[in-house]
């Protein structure tokens, strides 16, 4: 595994502002999603090597990043599975889901994998997690543990 050193860490507010600034220049959300998912896939491949990957996708754009990462990882020859909390809700996430040709498991069906990629919720989440979400987070088939946030 290769550590990620010297990479900037943004707060949720800073990430939203950075995304909004790029979108304001005319870059489509789908393009940002493709860039984010591709970067995630390359980082996972670099850090996790040939280990099997389970990607947990939420209903928003963070989940869309996960579908893109799944597609890119599969294209790189990785063994990757996707489990979704629900169907995608945003146009961009629906497009990303359509680009993933593999099956999508439910949380209750999903079995653990050596590498877990959390693409459940991002900075767009403005509500508390519900009971179903807190019972399924980070542990398919039962669930316990915190859910990380990245981008909306």
């Amino acid at each position: 595994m290769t550590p990620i050193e010297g990479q900037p860490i943004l707060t949720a507010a800073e990430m939203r502002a950075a995304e909004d600034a790029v979108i304001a220049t005319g870059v489509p959300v789908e393009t940002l999603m493709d860039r984010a998912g591709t970067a995630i896939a390359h980082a996972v491949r670099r850090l996790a090597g040939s280990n099997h990957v389970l990607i947990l996708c939420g209903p928003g754009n963070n989940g869309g990043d996960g579908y893109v990462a799944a597609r890119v990882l599969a294209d790189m020859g990785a063994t990757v599975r996707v489990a979704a909390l629900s169907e995608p809700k945003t146009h961009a996430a629906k497009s990303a889901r359509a680009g993933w040709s593999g099956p999508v498991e439910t949380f209750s069906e999903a079995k653990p994998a050596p590498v877990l990629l959390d693409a459940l919720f991002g900075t767009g989440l403005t509500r508390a997690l519900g009971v179903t979400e807190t019972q399924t987070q980070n542990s398919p088939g039962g669930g316990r543990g915190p859910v990380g946030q990245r981008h909306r």
Side-chain angles (χ1 to χ4, degrees):
M1 291 180 52
T2 305
I4 300 174
E5 296 179 18
Q7 297 296 314
I9 303 295
L10 301 178
T11 66
E14 290 170 335
M15 188 70 236
R16 281 191 302 271
E19 289 175 342
D20 289 345
V22 173
I23 291 167
T25 69
V27 176
V29 172
E30 293 82 0
T31 299
L32 289 180
M33 187 175 289
D34 191 65
R35 290 176 185 168
T38 298
I40 293 164
H42 285 279
V44 167
R45 193 64 167 177
R46 181 169 56 90
L47 296 169
S50 61
N51 285 303
H52 294 188
V53 179
L54 173 62
I55 302 177
L56 305 180
C57 292
N61 288 348
N62 210 55
D65 293 349
Y67 289 114
V68 172
R71 175 181 49 82
V72 173
L73 281 165
D75 289 348
M76 293 192 310
T79 300
V80 60
R81 295 177 13 251
V82 171
L85 185 61
S86 67
E87 289 297 317
K89 304 276 191 259
T90 69
H91 175 74
K94 289 176 184 177
S95 294
R97 166 62 184 96
W100 165 244
S101 61
V104 177
E105 305 168 28
T106 64
F107 270 69
S108 61
E109 295 170 333
K111 301 292 182 224
V115 177
L116 177 69
L117 177 59
D118 174 355
L120 290 170
F121 301 106
T123 63
L125 184 66
T126 57
R127 60 174 175 76
L129 293 176
V131 172
T132 301
E133 296 152 349
T134 58
Q135 288 176 346
T136 59
Q137 60 194 347
N138 282 352
S139 184
R144 289 165 299 285
V147 172
Q149 292 187 202
R150 197 189 53 74
H151 102 96
R152 54 181 163 179

PDB file of all heavy atoms in Angstrom, residues 15 26 40 62 74 88 90 94 120:
ATOM      1  N   MET A  15     -15.453  21.778   0.060  1.00  0.00           N
ATOM      2  CA  MET A  15     -15.683  20.894  -1.079  1.00  0.00           C
ATOM      3  C   MET A  15     -16.887  21.357  -1.884  1.00  0.00           C
ATOM      4  O   MET A  15     -16.843  21.411  -3.118  1.00  0.00           O
ATOM      5  CB  MET A  15     -15.883  19.454  -0.595  1.00  0.00           C
ATOM      6  CG  MET A  15     -15.937  18.430  -1.720  1.00  0.00           C
ATOM      7  SD  MET A  15     -14.318  18.232  -2.488  1.00  0.00           S
ATOM      8  CE  MET A  15     -14.727  18.593  -4.179  1.00  0.00           C
ATOM      9  N   GLY A  26     -19.343  25.997 -16.181  1.00  0.00           N
ATOM     10  CA  GLY A  26     -19.992  25.250 -17.256  1.00  0.00           C
ATOM     11  C   GLY A  26     -19.637  23.777 -17.317  1.00  0.00           C
ATOM     12  O   GLY A  26     -20.096  23.068 -18.210  1.00  0.00           O
ATOM     13  N   ILE A  40     -10.941   7.988  -7.726  1.00  0.00           N
ATOM     14  CA  ILE A  40     -11.147   7.033  -6.631  1.00  0.00           C
ATOM     15  C   ILE A  40     -10.688   5.643  -7.054  1.00  0.00           C
ATOM     16  O   ILE A  40      -9.985   4.953  -6.311  1.00  0.00           O
ATOM     17  CB  ILE A  40     -12.635   6.997  -6.209  1.00  0.00           C
ATOM     18  CG1 ILE A  40     -13.049   8.311  -5.573  1.00  0.00           C
ATOM     19  CG2 ILE A  40     -12.917   5.828  -5.270  1.00  0.00           C
ATOM     20  CD1 ILE A  40     -14.563   8.494  -5.485  1.00  0.00           C
ATOM     21  N   ASN A  62     -22.713  11.088  -4.543  1.00  0.00           N
ATOM     22  CA  ASN A  62     -21.627  10.316  -3.954  1.00  0.00           C
ATOM     23  C   ASN A  62     -21.746   8.857  -4.410  1.00  0.00           C
ATOM     24  O   ASN A  62     -20.757   8.212  -4.743  1.00  0.00           O
ATOM     25  CB  ASN A  62     -21.666  10.424  -2.428  1.00  0.00           C
ATOM     26  CG  ASN A  62     -20.303  10.305  -1.803  1.00  0.00           C
ATOM     27  OD1 ASN A  62     -19.398  11.037  -2.157  1.00  0.00           O
ATOM     28  ND2 ASN A  62     -20.161   9.389  -0.871  1.00  0.00           N
ATOM     29  N   ALA A  74     -13.398  -2.247 -12.688  1.00  0.00           N
ATOM     30  CA  ALA A  74     -13.660  -3.445 -13.492  1.00  0.00           C
ATOM     31  C   ALA A  74     -12.898  -3.378 -14.812  1.00  0.00           C
ATOM     32  O   ALA A  74     -12.313  -4.381 -15.252  1.00  0.00           O
ATOM     33  CB  ALA A  74     -15.161  -3.612 -13.728  1.00  0.00           C
ATOM     34  N   PRO A  88     -30.581   5.157  -7.531  1.00  0.00           N
ATOM     35  CA  PRO A  88     -30.088   6.536  -7.619  1.00  0.00           C
ATOM     36  C   PRO A  88     -31.237   7.530  -7.758  1.00  0.00           C
ATOM     37  O   PRO A  88     -32.245   7.234  -8.396  1.00  0.00           O
ATOM     38  CB  PRO A  88     -29.234   6.531  -8.886  1.00  0.00           C
ATOM     39  CG  PRO A  88     -28.896   5.105  -9.127  1.00  0.00           C
ATOM     40  CD  PRO A  88     -30.045   4.310  -8.598  1.00  0.00           C
ATOM     41  N   THR A  90     -30.503  11.221  -8.302  1.00  0.00           N
ATOM     42  CA  THR A  90     -30.152  12.367  -9.140  1.00  0.00           C
ATOM     43  C   THR A  90     -29.923  11.906 -10.573  1.00  0.00           C
ATOM     44  O   THR A  90     -29.609  10.742 -10.828  1.00  0.00           O
ATOM     45  CB  THR A  90     -28.877  13.073  -8.636  1.00  0.00           C
ATOM     46  OG1 THR A  90     -27.752  12.215  -8.855  1.00  0.00           O
ATOM     47  CG2 THR A  90     -28.990  13.448  -7.155  1.00  0.00           C
ATOM     48  N   LYS A  94     -28.013   8.508 -11.735  1.00  0.00           N
ATOM     49  CA  LYS A  94     -28.699   7.544 -12.604  1.00  0.00           C
ATOM     50  C   LYS A  94     -27.860   7.243 -13.839  1.00  0.00           C
ATOM     51  O   LYS A  94     -27.769   6.086 -14.279  1.00  0.00           O
ATOM     52  CB  LYS A  94     -30.075   8.076 -13.018  1.00  0.00           C
ATOM     53  CG  LYS A  94     -31.080   8.088 -11.889  1.00  0.00           C
ATOM     54  CD  LYS A  94     -32.391   8.724 -12.320  1.00  0.00           C
ATOM     55  CE  LYS A  94     -33.364   8.822 -11.162  1.00  0.00           C
ATOM     56  NZ  LYS A  94     -34.611   9.493 -11.554  1.00  0.00           N
ATOM     57  N   LEU A 120     -21.614   6.147   0.045  1.00  0.00           N
ATOM     58  CA  LEU A 120     -23.001   6.257   0.486  1.00  0.00           C
ATOM     59  C   LEU A 120     -23.516   7.683   0.485  1.00  0.00           C
ATOM     60  O   LEU A 120     -24.474   8.009  -0.200  1.00  0.00           O
ATOM     61  CB  LEU A 120     -23.162   5.644   1.884  1.00  0.00           C
ATOM     62  CG  LEU A 120     -23.038   4.125   1.926  1.00  0.00           C
ATOM     63  CD1 LEU A 120     -22.970   3.636   3.358  1.00  0.00           C
ATOM     64  CD2 LEU A 120     -24.217   3.491   1.197  1.00  0.00           C
TER      65      LEU A 120
END
